[in-house]
Amino acid sequence: QVQLVESGGGLVQAGGSLTLSCAASGRTFSRYMGWFRQAAGKEREFVAGINWSGASTRYAESVKGRFTISRDNAKNTVHLQMNSLKPDDTAVYYCAAGLGSWNGPFDYWGQGTQVTVSS
């Protein structure tokens, strides 16, 4: 079993930065890890993903150049550094673990952490 717990969300002004963290319990070092988000009234969308070694990453077009995903397998953590935040980045952010690639499947999910960007 894998359990994922996100932290680091909060309220930030546009242009600011936040770093989200995902603490995993269980065997995640071989899993593909991803960050997703869901804004109010919208479908959940892929934000960023990283393979088991950290050598391969993928980003949604909307966050490229602003967000950076990283992982520390020794500490079972995944991070999402978010810079130049925009009001459109407001959403609940979820960490997920999967056996495939950025397009899934993801079989473990965290509870989510709220990110609110004020204009």
Side-chain angles (χ1 to χ4, degrees):
Q1 286 289 329
V2 174
Q3 289 188 322
L4 305 173
V5 179
E6 303 95 336
S7 63
L11 173 64
V12 64
Q13 288 188 331
S17 298
L18 279 176
T19 299
L20 304 183
S21 296
C22 174
S25 62
R27 293 172 62 87
T28 60
F29 67 86
S30 62
R31 287 181 172 269
Y32 192 91
M33 300 297 294
W35 284 97
F36 291 76
R37 68 187 181 187
Q38 186 167 20
K42 296 185 178 181
E43 294 187 355
R44 185 170 58 194
E45 64 175 353
F46 172 82
V47 174
I50 188 167
N51 76 330
W52 68 273
S53 69
S56 176
T57 58
R58 188 177 179 103
Y59 297 92
E61 285 296 325
S62 59
V63 307
K64 272 185 183 178
R66 301 188 298 123
F67 290 11
T68 303
I69 189 171
S70 62
R71 70 188 294 166
D72 184 339
N73 288 336
K75 297 182 178 180
N76 265 2
T77 55
V78 180
H79 303 285
L80 185 68
Q81 173 68 43
M82 306 186 295
N83 298 326
S84 302
L85 283 162
K86 306 174 182 179
D88 283 349
D89 295 319
T90 295
V92 177
Y93 284 71
Y94 298 91
C95 175
L99 291 173
S101 184
W102 67 274
N103 55 355
F106 289 87
D107 49 355
Y108 292 102
W109 294 84
Q111 293 299 306
T113 185
Q114 176 71 47
V115 172
T116 303
V117 184
S118 63
S119 57

